[in-house]
mmCIF file of all heavy atoms in Angstrom:
data_model
loop_
_atom_site.group_PDB
_atom_site.id
_atom_site.type_symbol
_atom_site.label_atom_id
_atom_site.label_comp_id
_atom_site.label_asym_id
_atom_site.label_seq_id
_atom_site.Cartn_x
_atom_site.Cartn_y
_atom_site.Cartn_z
ATOM 1 N N VAL A 166 -19.818 14.161 20.793
ATOM 2 C CA VAL A 166 -18.479 13.908 20.271
ATOM 3 C C VAL A 166 -18.207 14.809 19.074
ATOM 4 O O VAL A 166 -17.153 15.453 18.984
ATOM 5 C CB VAL A 166 -18.304 12.415 19.902
ATOM 6 C CG1 VAL A 166 -17.020 12.188 19.114
ATOM 7 C CG2 VAL A 166 -18.330 11.550 21.160
ATOM 8 N N GLU A 167 -19.157 14.890 18.175
ATOM 9 C CA GLU A 167 -19.013 15.720 16.969
ATOM 10 C C GLU A 167 -18.755 17.178 17.332
ATOM 11 O O GLU A 167 -17.943 17.854 16.702
ATOM 12 C CB GLU A 167 -20.278 15.595 16.122
ATOM 13 C CG GLU A 167 -20.265 16.424 14.854
ATOM 14 C CD GLU A 167 -21.568 16.273 14.087
ATOM 15 O OE1 GLU A 167 -22.648 16.442 14.691
ATOM 16 O OE2 GLU A 167 -21.494 15.969 12.881
ATOM 17 N N SER A 168 -19.425 17.664 18.372
ATOM 18 C CA SER A 168 -19.293 19.072 18.757
ATOM 19 C C SER A 168 -18.094 19.345 19.664
ATOM 20 O O SER A 168 -17.918 20.462 20.138
ATOM 21 C CB SER A 168 -20.578 19.557 19.435
ATOM 22 O OG SER A 168 -20.742 18.914 20.685
ATOM 23 N N GLY A 169 -17.282 18.317 19.927
ATOM 24 C CA GLY A 169 -16.076 18.514 20.718
ATOM 25 C C GLY A 169 -16.295 18.503 22.222
ATOM 26 O O GLY A 169 -15.442 18.964 22.975
ATOM 27 N N ARG A 170 -17.426 17.972 22.647
ATOM 28 C CA ARG A 170 -17.735 17.959 24.080
ATOM 29 C C ARG A 170 -17.323 16.665 24.763
ATOM 30 O O ARG A 170 -17.712 16.409 25.893
ATOM 31 C CB ARG A 170 -19.219 18.237 24.274
ATOM 32 C CG ARG A 170 -19.557 19.652 23.771
ATOM 33 C CD ARG A 170 -21.006 19.977 23.817
ATOM 34 N NE ARG A 170 -21.530 19.907 25.164
ATOM 35 C CZ ARG A 170 -22.823 19.790 25.441
ATOM 36 N NH1 ARG A 170 -23.706 19.741 24.461
ATOM 37 N NH2 ARG A 170 -23.234 19.726 26.675
ATOM 38 N N GLY A 171 -16.524 15.852 24.083
ATOM 39 C CA GLY A 171 -16.024 14.612 24.657
ATOM 40 C C GLY A 171 -15.681 13.604 23.581
ATOM 41 O O GLY A 171 -15.790 13.889 22.385
ATOM 42 N N VAL A 172 -15.237 12.440 24.025
ATOM 43 C CA VAL A 172 -14.938 11.317 23.146
ATOM 44 C C VAL A 172 -15.724 10.118 23.670
ATOM 45 O O VAL A 172 -16.191 10.124 24.807
ATOM 46 C CB VAL A 172 -13.418 11.009 23.108
ATOM 47 C CG1 VAL A 172 -12.648 12.184 22.520
ATOM 48 C CG2 VAL A 172 -12.892 10.648 24.497
ATOM 49 N N ALA A 173 -15.857 9.093 22.859
ATOM 50 C CA ALA A 173 -16.627 7.913 23.263
ATOM 51 C C ALA A 173 -15.924 6.657 22.757
ATOM 52 O O ALA A 173 -14.997 6.736 21.957
ATOM 53 C CB ALA A 173 -18.040 7.990 22.693
ATOM 54 N N ALA A 174 -16.375 5.511 23.231
ATOM 55 C CA ALA A 174 -15.866 4.225 22.746
ATOM 56 C C ALA A 174 -17.041 3.415 22.231
ATOM 57 O O ALA A 174 -18.007 3.188 22.953
ATOM 58 C CB ALA A 174 -15.148 3.476 23.861
ATOM 59 N N LEU A 175 -16.953 3.039 20.971
ATOM 60 C CA LEU A 175 -18.025 2.290 20.312
ATOM 61 C C LEU A 175 -17.400 1.295 19.338
ATOM 62 O O LEU A 175 -16.223 1.403 19.002
ATOM 63 C CB LEU A 175 -18.946 3.249 19.543
ATOM 64 C CG LEU A 175 -19.767 4.231 20.369
ATOM 65 C CD1 LEU A 175 -20.415 5.277 19.469
ATOM 66 C CD2 LEU A 175 -20.819 3.502 21.180
ATOM 67 N N PRO A 176 -18.183 0.359 18.826
ATOM 68 C CA PRO A 176 -17.662 -0.549 17.802
ATOM 69 C C PRO A 176 -17.319 0.201 16.506
ATOM 70 O O PRO A 176 -18.035 1.122 16.097
ATOM 71 C CB PRO A 176 -18.830 -1.511 17.554
ATOM 72 C CG PRO A 176 -19.677 -1.426 18.780
ATOM 73 C CD PRO A 176 -19.534 -0.017 19.263
ATOM 74 N N ARG A 177 -16.212 -0.205 15.892
ATOM 75 C CA ARG A 177 -15.780 0.428 14.636
ATOM 76 C C ARG A 177 -16.889 0.384 13.591
ATOM 77 O O ARG A 177 -17.122 1.347 12.880
ATOM 78 C CB ARG A 177 -14.512 -0.236 14.097
ATOM 79 C CG ARG A 177 -14.007 0.414 12.800
ATOM 80 C CD ARG A 177 -12.732 -0.213 12.295
ATOM 81 N NE ARG A 177 -11.585 0.070 13.116
ATOM 82 C CZ ARG A 177 -10.850 1.169 13.035
ATOM 83 N NH1 ARG A 177 -11.142 2.111 12.166
ATOM 84 N NH2 ARG A 177 -9.810 1.334 13.832
ATOM 85 N N TRP A 178 -17.585 -0.751 13.460
ATOM 86 C CA TRP A 178 -18.632 -0.868 12.437
ATOM 87 C C TRP A 178 -19.706 0.195 12.636
ATOM 88 O O TRP A 178 -20.222 0.736 11.668
ATOM 89 C CB TRP A 178 -19.236 -2.270 12.402
ATOM 90 C CG TRP A 178 -19.958 -2.694 13.646
ATOM 91 C CD1 TRP A 178 -19.455 -3.435 14.675
ATOM 92 C CD2 TRP A 178 -21.303 -2.384 14.007
ATOM 93 N NE1 TRP A 178 -20.402 -3.603 15.657
ATOM 94 C CE2 TRP A 178 -21.552 -2.973 15.274
ATOM 95 C CE3 TRP A 178 -22.340 -1.673 13.396
ATOM 96 C CZ2 TRP A 178 -22.776 -2.869 15.930
ATOM 97 C CZ3 TRP A 178 -23.559 -1.573 14.050
ATOM 98 C CH2 TRP A 178 -23.775 -2.162 15.293
ATOM 99 N N LEU A 179 -20.036 0.516 13.880
ATOM 100 C CA LEU A 179 -21.056 1.531 14.147
ATOM 101 C C LEU A 179 -20.553 2.915 13.751
ATOM 102 O O LEU A 179 -21.273 3.692 13.110
ATOM 103 C CB LEU A 179 -21.461 1.511 15.620
ATOM 104 C CG LEU A 179 -22.465 2.579 16.041
ATOM 105 C CD1 LEU A 179 -23.795 2.404 15.322
ATOM 106 C CD2 LEU A 179 -22.663 2.547 17.548
ATOM 107 N N VAL A 180 -19.315 3.214 14.089
ATOM 108 C CA VAL A 180 -18.740 4.526 13.747
ATOM 109 C C VAL A 180 -18.705 4.700 12.233
ATOM 110 O O VAL A 180 -19.056 5.761 11.711
ATOM 111 C CB VAL A 180 -17.330 4.683 14.353
ATOM 112 C CG1 VAL A 180 -16.734 6.038 13.990
ATOM 113 C CG2 VAL A 180 -17.375 4.505 15.868
ATOM 114 N N GLU A 181 -18.303 3.663 11.527
ATOM 115 C CA GLU A 181 -18.259 3.745 10.065
ATOM 116 C C GLU A 181 -19.659 3.903 9.482
ATOM 117 O O GLU A 181 -19.856 4.629 8.515
ATOM 118 C CB GLU A 181 -17.542 2.526 9.500
ATOM 119 C CG GLU A 181 -16.053 2.555 9.824
ATOM 120 C CD GLU A 181 -15.315 1.273 9.485
ATOM 121 O OE1 GLU A 181 -15.966 0.254 9.135
ATOM 122 O OE2 GLU A 181 -14.078 1.286 9.601
ATOM 123 N N GLU A 182 -20.630 3.243 10.104
ATOM 124 C CA GLU A 182 -22.015 3.322 9.632
ATOM 125 C C GLU A 182 -22.603 4.726 9.795
ATOM 126 O O GLU A 182 -23.381 5.174 8.960
ATOM 127 C CB GLU A 182 -22.858 2.310 10.404
ATOM 128 C CG GLU A 182 -24.271 2.169 9.929
ATOM 129 C CD GLU A 182 -24.992 1.077 10.706
ATOM 130 O OE1 GLU A 182 -24.687 -0.105 10.470
ATOM 131 O OE2 GLU A 182 -25.850 1.411 11.535
ATOM 132 N N VAL A 183 -22.238 5.440 10.847
ATOM 133 C CA VAL A 183 -22.825 6.763 11.118
ATOM 134 C C VAL A 183 -21.962 7.918 10.613
ATOM 135 O O VAL A 183 -22.335 9.077 10.762
ATOM 136 C CB VAL A 183 -23.110 6.967 12.630
ATOM 137 C CG1 VAL A 183 -24.071 5.918 13.132
ATOM 138 C CG2 VAL A 183 -21.832 7.012 13.440
ATOM 139 N N SER A 184 -20.833 7.610 10.000
ATOM 140 C CA SER A 184 -19.901 8.668 9.595
ATOM 141 C C SER A 184 -20.458 9.617 8.525
ATOM 142 O O SER A 184 -19.940 10.708 8.340
ATOM 143 C CB SER A 184 -18.568 8.080 9.134
ATOM 144 O OG SER A 184 -18.754 7.310 7.974
ATOM 145 N N GLU A 185 -21.531 9.206 7.845
ATOM 146 C CA GLU A 185 -22.166 10.122 6.890
ATOM 147 C C GLU A 185 -23.093 11.107 7.591
ATOM 148 O O GLU A 185 -23.304 12.209 7.113
ATOM 149 C CB GLU A 185 -22.932 9.325 5.830
ATOM 150 C CG GLU A 185 -22.012 8.576 4.890
ATOM 151 C CD GLU A 185 -22.780 7.867 3.789
ATOM 152 O OE1 GLU A 185 -23.949 8.212 3.523
ATOM 153 O OE2 GLU A 185 -22.183 6.953 3.189
ATOM 154 N N ARG A 186 -23.640 10.709 8.744
ATOM 155 C CA ARG A 186 -24.565 11.574 9.500
ATOM 156 C C ARG A 186 -23.846 12.463 10.508
ATOM 157 O O ARG A 186 -24.340 13.527 10.851
ATOM 158 C CB ARG A 186 -25.584 10.715 10.244
ATOM 159 C CG ARG A 186 -26.566 10.051 9.332
ATOM 160 C CD ARG A 186 -27.624 9.217 10.035
ATOM 161 N NE ARG A 186 -27.965 9.616 11.376
ATOM 162 C CZ ARG A 186 -28.099 8.771 12.392
ATOM 163 N NH1 ARG A 186 -27.890 7.483 12.223
ATOM 164 N NH2 ARG A 186 -28.442 9.203 13.580
ATOM 165 N N PHE A 187 -22.720 11.984 11.021
ATOM 166 C CA PHE A 187 -21.978 12.720 12.046
ATOM 167 C C PHE A 187 -20.533 12.885 11.603
ATOM 168 O O PHE A 187 -19.961 11.983 11.004
ATOM 169 C CB PHE A 187 -22.001 11.959 13.385
ATOM 170 C CG PHE A 187 -23.373 11.770 13.949
ATOM 171 C CD1 PHE A 187 -24.060 10.580 13.753
ATOM 172 C CD2 PHE A 187 -23.983 12.765 14.699
ATOM 173 C CE1 PHE A 187 -25.326 10.384 14.277
ATOM 174 C CE2 PHE A 187 -25.250 12.584 15.231
ATOM 175 C CZ PHE A 187 -25.926 11.392 15.022
ATOM 176 N N GLN A 188 -19.949 14.015 11.927
ATOM 177 C CA GLN A 188 -18.551 14.269 11.596
ATOM 178 C C GLN A 188 -17.663 13.677 12.695
ATOM 179 O O GLN A 188 -17.074 14.391 13.510
ATOM 180 C CB GLN A 188 -18.308 15.778 11.438
ATOM 181 C CG GLN A 188 -19.037 16.405 10.264
ATOM 182 C CD GLN A 188 -18.554 15.799 8.960
ATOM 183 O OE1 GLN A 188 -17.367 15.832 8.644
ATOM 184 N NE2 GLN A 188 -19.472 15.227 8.189
ATOM 185 N N VAL A 189 -17.600 12.350 12.718
ATOM 186 C CA VAL A 189 -16.810 11.622 13.702
ATOM 187 C C VAL A 189 -15.958 10.580 12.993
ATOM 188 O O VAL A 189 -16.237 10.216 11.852
ATOM 189 C CB VAL A 189 -17.704 10.935 14.765
ATOM 190 C CG1 VAL A 189 -18.485 11.969 15.565
ATOM 191 C CG2 VAL A 189 -18.642 9.920 14.133
ATOM 192 N N ALA A 190 -14.937 10.115 13.703
ATOM 193 C CA ALA A 190 -14.037 9.125 13.119
ATOM 194 C C ALA A 190 -13.526 8.181 14.203
ATOM 195 O O ALA A 190 -13.427 8.571 15.366
ATOM 196 C CB ALA A 190 -12.862 9.826 12.446
ATOM 197 N N PRO A 191 -13.174 6.954 13.812
ATOM 198 C CA PRO A 191 -12.622 5.998 14.773
ATOM 199 C C PRO A 191 -11.111 6.153 14.911
ATOM 200 O O PRO A 191 -10.417 6.511 13.954
ATOM 201 C CB PRO A 191 -12.957 4.650 14.142
ATOM 202 C CG PRO A 191 -12.944 4.917 12.672
ATOM 203 C CD PRO A 191 -13.442 6.343 12.516
ATOM 204 N N VAL A 192 -10.612 5.885 16.108
ATOM 205 C CA VAL A 192 -9.178 5.807 16.375
ATOM 206 C C VAL A 192 -8.962 4.540 17.198
ATOM 207 O O VAL A 192 -9.675 4.309 18.183
ATOM 208 C CB VAL A 192 -8.662 7.041 17.159
ATOM 209 C CG1 VAL A 192 -7.170 6.921 17.420
ATOM 210 C CG2 VAL A 192 -8.983 8.338 16.422
#
């Protein structure tokens, strides 16, 4: 997802938790 090779669906809490390690964001 970070590299632009797709999108995913995950829980918001998980996305917020990993946002320091990966350049990803929830929508």
Side-chain angles (χ1 to χ4, degrees):
V166 169
E167 179 181 51
S168 68
R170 296 175 60 199
V172 296
L175 294 169
R177 181 178 290 276
W178 64 264
L179 177 63
V180 180
E181 290 171 351
E182 186 176 287
V183 300
S184 65
E185 290 184 19
R186 290 182 28 225
F187 298 97
Q188 294 298 303
V189 297
V192 180

